Amino acid sequence: MIEAFLIPSLAVLVLLSWGIDYINGFHDTANSIATVVSTGVLPAKYALVMSATLNFAGALAGTSVATTIAKGIADSNQVVPAVIAAALMAAITWDLLTWWFGIPSSTSHTLLGGLAGAVVAHAGFDALHMKKLKEIGAFIIISPAMGFLVGMLLILIILWVVRRRSGHKVNIVFRKAQLVSAAAMSFTHGQNDAQKAMGIICLALIAYKFHLPLDEKLKVIVPLWVKIGSATFMALGTASGGWKIIKTMGSKIVKLRPIHGFAAETAAAAVLFTTAHFGIPVSTTHSITGAIMGVGATMNASAVRWGVAGNIVVAWVLTIPISALLAAGFLKLVAPFF
């Protein structure tokens, strides 16, 4: 569908979407590799290569989340090009701001907040699909809570299983096992987050009256070039690294050992596999942060730096409303150009 790039304003939307994919990559690199780097299991440069490769593979594995973004958030007739541009600009602004301060916020929710805010500014609240938005909103709480509980339960089970083993042998085993859990986390990051940009591009194509075929469940079939482009930019962003947030996730919340890193990554990956299967756009950041806190809490409540955790949660709460307000403001600026 090379025709999309022959329309300048549509080409801008596609490039902005891939831009948020790239930013998402380096902003959320920490979700995949912070624990494996901070525990010393894998040097950072090798962790980045592994994560970028599996981000790319994960992005090509399914499109349930992308179709939710493309058709499930708002009345597609009201998602005009200016609305999409405003949402993307809001998401890029918030992502760069939180990255600068090393805060692991959610690219997923800044995109959704921006899209909702721009739609409301353009057509009012009636244009939103409130049932789907309430479901997504509920998972702002559910996904970190699931990560926390699964992480806590998993580390307790693991510790009970290895209770009679020497600490040295346990450390050796889980240094290797953490490579698998980090790989799973990288795959699910691509599977969840790259699909958001795919969904936005599909929205843009629909807004410009391009026909996108539907599958037997009446879900949009994402074009191959959209999937490959989104996967590529996500992988490139991941490969560039996001060291400020890696430091926050890897050591500022709680100091982890390989056994704890394995439990946190496995718990978060399990949550993300589940939500991706059902097409629910959740935050990989929320899931892994919740899992790290859950694992840390089993070590000792004081092991978790709750002040840092509290700042992160405040950023989570602010992400959607601030992104919505930013998008509403950007809509007035970009409307004449779209």
Side-chain angles (χ1 to χ4, degrees):
M1 199 179 289
I2 195 67
E3 298 91 342
F5 287 92
L6 300 179
I7 303 173
S9 56
L10 176 55
V12 168
L13 294 181
V14 172
L15 293 175
L16 281 174
S17 299
W18 284 341
I20 194 65
D21 244 351
Y22 180 87
I23 293 168
N24 189 339
F26 73 73
H27 189 284
D28 288 4
T29 301
N31 296 345
S32 305
I33 69 167
T35 54
V36 78
V37 171
S38 67
T39 55
V41 169
L42 201 62
K45 61 181 179 180
Y46 297 125
L48 286 173
V49 172
M50 177 199 72
S51 185
T53 302
L54 289 166
N55 269 189
F56 183 89
L60 299 178
T63 57
S64 295
V65 174
T67 55
T68 296
I69 299 290
K71 300 287 284 185
I73 305 303
D75 182 350
S76 58
N77 292 324
Q78 301 300 337
V79 185
V80 297
V83 163
I84 299 169
L88 288 167
M89 291 172 69
I92 289 170
T93 300
W94 182 246
D95 255 10
L96 290 176
L97 185 64
T98 51
W99 165 78
W100 180 258
F101 288 103
I103 301 171
S105 67
S106 168
T107 301
S108 307
H109 291 122
T110 191
L111 267 175
L112 293 170
L115 188 59
V119 166
V120 170
H122 172 69
F125 283 96
D126 289 343
L128 296 176
H129 294 167
M130 296 305 298
K131 182 178 179 180
K132 176 56 72 172
L133 284 171
K134 287 178 181 177
E135 176 185 290
I136 294 168
F139 272 84
I140 294 175
I141 298 171
I142 294 171
S143 65
M146 287 173 65
F148 186 96
L149 293 172
V150 175
M152 178 181 285
L153 180 62
L154 185 57
I155 189 61
L156 289 174
I157 292 172
I158 291 171
L159 290 173
W160 184 83
V161 170
V162 303
R163 68 192 186 283
R164 301 185 191 282
R165 305 287 181 179
S166 71
H168 177 67
K169 289 183 178 179
V170 168
N171 194 52
I172 291 174
V173 169
F174 281 96
R175 284 179 68 86
K176 295 177 181 177
Q178 203 182 349
L179 294 174
V180 178
S181 62
M185 190 64 208
S186 295
F187 185 88
T188 55
H189 176 226
Q191 187 181 29
N192 277 268
D193 282 22
Q195 287 193 45
K196 279 90 174 189
M198 295 180 200
I200 294 292
I201 293 172
C202 288
L203 269 176
L205 292 170
I206 292 168
Y208 279 92
K209 309 304 180 185
F210 281 87
H211 173 70
L212 296 181
L214 304 178
D215 63 15
E216 65 279 2
K217 295 182 180 179
L218 300 180
K219 292 184 176 181
V220 171
I221 297 176
V222 180
L224 181 61
W225 67 268
V226 174
K227 292 195 284 187
I228 291 175
S230 300
T232 300
F233 278 91
M234 170 72 74
L236 289 173
T238 298
S240 68
W243 302 111
K244 291 184 178 183
I245 298 177
I246 288 173
K247 186 176 180 181
T248 298
M249 296 281 282
S251 60
K252 287 189 176 180
I253 298 174
V254 62
K255 185 66 176 176
L256 300 173
R257 290 183 292 159
I259 191 171
H260 302 111
F262 171 82
E265 289 164 346
T266 303
V271 171
L272 293 168
F273 270 124
T274 303
T275 54
H277 175 74
F278 290 104
I280 302 169
V282 303
S283 168
T284 55
T285 305
H286 290 192
S287 301
I288 186 63
T289 305
I292 289 172
M293 290 180 189
V295 169
T298 64
M299 298 159 62
N300 190 318
S302 61
V304 179
R305 295 180 176 90
W306 296 107
V308 174
N311 291 338
I312 293 170
V313 172
V314 169
W316 292 353
V317 172
L318 293 176
T319 291
I320 287 182
I322 289 181
S323 299
L325 290 172
L326 283 171
F330 278 125
L331 181 64
K332 295 182 179 180
L333 294 176
V334 303
F337 304 100
F338 289 88

